[in-house]
Amino acid sequence: MDEHPLAVPAPPLRPYVSGYAGYRQAGVPPGRHRGLPSPRLTLIFTLDEPLTLAGHPDPAQAPGTYSALLGGLHTRPAMITHQGRQSGIQLGLHPLGAGCPPSQWLAGEFRNVQAPGGAFEEG
């Protein structure tokens, strides 16, 4: 299975969200994917396996796994790996609509997203 549906946000959300992308892969060979630079912040919520970043755009940032993450603006690709199964929802967020000042657009960093009550914590 290899699915990648796309959706356009409702008009009231368009100043903040450029688009939604779902993804689901199962029963495919393990692989690598390059998360290419974008003019948007990337918010990802995984639905089964955590997302594995084998290489961050900023080489000073160590590889990691994330159940939910916010990726900042960057000029180099992120290297994402999977073991043949992954699914999630990805949102493209307009930086000016994300509700934070430019100094907090993360400068290429990827950070865990923490929900109230630890809903996204690894358990």
Side-chain angles (χ1 to χ4, degrees):
M1 170 185 329
D2 193 357
E3 301 174 322
H4 297 88
L6 304 174
V8 176
L13 294 177
R14 290 182 190 159
Y16 314 104
V17 180
S18 63
Y20 309 107
Y23 61 92
R24 179 168 52 174
Q25 293 181 305
V28 298
R32 292 177 163 264
H33 164 81
R34 288 186 183 177
L36 298 177
S38 159
R40 291 167 189 44
L41 304 176
T42 302
L43 179 61
I44 297 175
F45 299 99
T46 63
L47 299 176
D48 52 31
E49 303 295 327
L51 186 82
T52 301
L53 281 171
H56 286 271
D58 177 358
Q61 193 171 0
T65 59
Y66 305 86
S67 292
L69 69 88
L70 178 63
L73 302 176
H74 52 94
T75 58
R76 297 180 179 152
M79 185 58 68
I80 301 161
T81 62
H82 66 85
Q83 296 303 310
R85 175 185 165 105
Q86 63 176 347
S87 65
I89 300 168
Q90 176 174 314
L91 289 79
L93 304 177
H94 295 293
L96 292 175
C100 58
S103 63
Q104 294 180 1
W105 291 346
L106 310 178
E109 292 183 13
F110 284 71
R111 297 187 184 176
N112 276 312
V113 173
Q114 296 296 321
F120 299 122
E121 291 178 9
E122 296 291 297

